[in-house]
Amino acid sequence: MKSLITLALVLSGLCSLNANAQSAREILYVGTYSTRGSEGIYVFDFDRSTGTLKPLQTASELKSPSFLAIHPTGRYLYAVSEAGQSSGSVGAYAIDDKTGRLRFLNQQSSHGNGPCYVSIDKTGTWAFVANYGGGSMAVLPIDNNGSLGAATDSVQYTGSGANTQRQEKPHAHSVVLSPDNRFVYVADLGTDRVYIYELDTVHGKLKPAQMPYVTVKPGSGPRHLTFDPAGKHVYLVEEITSSTAVFTYNPKTGALTMMEDAVKSLPADFTAPNTSADIHTSPNGRFLYQSNRGYNGLAIYSIAKNGKLTLTGQQPAGGKVPRNFMVDSRGEYVLIANQDTDNVVVYKADAKTGKLTATGTELKVPAPVCLKLMELK
C-alpha cells in the first residue's frame, strides 16, 4: 500500500512538472516592413533551453506591421500599420492561449500618417500610438474582446529643431507609460522634447503634467525611452547624435530631471554615419543596451547606483541596421532585429558583466523591425 502511495505521489509530481512545462511555452512575434517578400507578422516558437526558434505562423492582414505591443493579459497583440502616406492605422489580434497563433480582430485609424510605435497601459484598457510622419499621437480604447475602438484623444504637435534635414517638423517617435500607469511620455524627435501627460484611465484623456515637457540638447532627436527596473531613472535614446540622456523620475508629479545628456554610445574612433534606435535595461538594472545603425551593434553601458552611465563595451549585431532588439525578461537572452540584412540574431547574456555571446541561432525574416517575446499563460 505504501509503495502505491509513493508511486501516486511520483506520478502526481510528473504531471505537475508536465503542466509547468506546457505553461512555460514561449512565443516570439516579429513585426516587419512589407518589402523584400515580407508577409506581415512572423510568429515563432522559442526554446529557452537551446535558444532556438521554430516557425509557427505568418499573419498577413496588415501592411508593414512594424511595431508591436502585447496586452498585459497576454491575450492580445497590437501592431501599427505604416502603409502609405495617408493616415495610418493600428491593428488588433487575439492570441491563442495554447498555441500563440494570431487571429485578426480589427484596425482603427492612428490619427496621423507613419505610425511607428504602439504601447498599452497597465490596465489593458488603452492603446497609445505615435505617428512619426504626422507628428502626432493618439489614445485608442481597447474593448473587452481585445478589439480597438475609435480614438478618445489625440495631440498634434508643432515646431521644429536645429537639424533642418531631420527636424523640419515634429516627429513623434514613441509613447511610454510610467511604472505606476499615471503618466505618459511622448518622445518627439523633431522638436527635441519629451512631452509629459497625466493619464485619465477612466476616459482615455491626456492632460499636460505639472512639467509639460523636458528638452534635450538641440539637434539630439529623442526617439525611444525606458525606465530602469526600480522606476527611479529614465534613459532616452538621442537618435541623431547617437547618444543617451539620463533623467531622474519624480513619481508624484511625473517630472523628469536631467542628470546626464549626450552620453556617447559609439567608440571614440568610429566616425562613419550612424543613428541610434532602441534602448533597454537588463532585468537586474545593472546594464543598459542601445542599438546603433551604421556602427551596426549594441552599445553596452554599466549603470551606477546613482543611475549614471559608463560605456563599457560594444556588441556587433550580426547584421546591418539593428533597428530594434529585446532583452529577455529573465535576463538570459538578447535578440537583435537587423532590418537591412533580413535577419534576427540570438545572443546569450551574462548577468554579471552585461556581455553578449552569439548562440549560433539566426532567423531569416524580411525587414524585421520589432521583437516581442511572451510566455503563454
Side-chain angles (χ1 to χ4, degrees), residues 29-36 38 40 42 64-68 80 82 115-117 173 223-224 277-278 280 291 293 321-326 335-340 342-344 365-372:
Y29 299 96
V30 183
T32 71
Y33 280 133
S34 296
T35 186
R36 298 193 294 276
S38 176
Y42 288 75
S64 289
S66 58
F67 202 88
L68 312 175
V80 300
E82 290 193 51
C116 63
Y117 196 101
H173 218 311
R223 181 183 171 98
H224 288 183
D278 202 13
H280 299 284
S291 61
R293 301 168 295 182
V321 186
R323 185 182 178 93
N324 180 257
F325 68 98
M326 59 146 291
L335 281 67
I336 303 176
N338 294 302
Q339 180 183 330
D340 281 15
D342 303 330
N343 65 331
V344 176
V365 181
V369 176
C370 183
L371 306 172
K372 296 293 180 182

Side-chain angles (χ1 to χ4, degrees), residues 135-211:
S136 64
M137 66 84 64
V139 185
L140 285 73
I142 298 174
D143 294 338
N144 290 334
N145 67 356
S147 61
L148 293 166
T152 56
D153 203 357
S154 61
V155 180
Q156 177 64 59
Y157 298 104
T158 59
S160 58
N163 187 313
T164 55
Q165 291 185 322
R166 295 293 314 280
Q167 297 179 307
E168 79 291 357
K169 65 177 183 177
H171 291 296
H173 218 311
S174 61
V175 188
V176 176
L177 286 98
S178 63
D180 61 6
N181 212 53
R182 293 180 56 208
F183 302 101
V184 175
Y185 298 84
V186 180
D188 183 358
L189 181 144
T191 62
D192 289 319
R193 289 180 175 182
V194 176
Y195 292 94
I196 309 171
Y197 301 94
E198 294 180 14
L199 172 62
D200 179 344
T201 57
V202 176
H203 303 100
K205 298 290 185 179
L206 299 176
K207 181 177 75 171
Q210 181 177 318
M211 174 187 282

Side-chain angles (χ1 to χ4, degrees), residues 20 23 42 60 94 114 136 154 166 177 186 217 230 233 255 264 266 308 325 344 361 363 368 375:
N20 289 336
S23 66
Y42 288 75
S60 305
S136 64
S154 61
R166 295 293 314 280
L177 286 98
V186 180
K217 187 177 179 179
H233 300 96
K264 293 300 181 183
L266 294 168
K308 290 188 175 182
F325 68 98
V344 176
T361 297
L363 292 176
E375 185 175 308

Side-chain angles (χ1 to χ4, degrees), residues 254-332:
L256 300 180
T257 302
M258 181 79 73
M259 284 180 59
E260 295 183 288
D261 195 9
V263 180
K264 293 300 181 183
S265 66
L266 294 168
D269 59 354
F270 183 80
T271 58
N274 184 84
T275 55
S276 293
D278 202 13
I279 190 165
H280 299 284
T281 63
S282 61
N284 62 14
R286 294 178 57 185
F287 304 100
L288 180 76
Y289 302 93
Q290 179 168 314
S291 61
N292 280 307
R293 301 168 295 182
Y295 180 78
N296 295 324
L298 298 191
I300 305 173
Y301 299 97
S302 64
I303 303 175
K305 290 184 178 179
N306 64 0
K308 290 188 175 182
L309 300 176
T310 300
L311 184 63
T312 59
Q314 303 285 342
Q315 173 61 53
K320 294 182 179 179
V321 186
R323 185 182 178 93
N324 180 257
F325 68 98
M326 59 146 291
V327 179
D328 161 40
S329 62
R330 301 187 197 179
E332 296 178 355

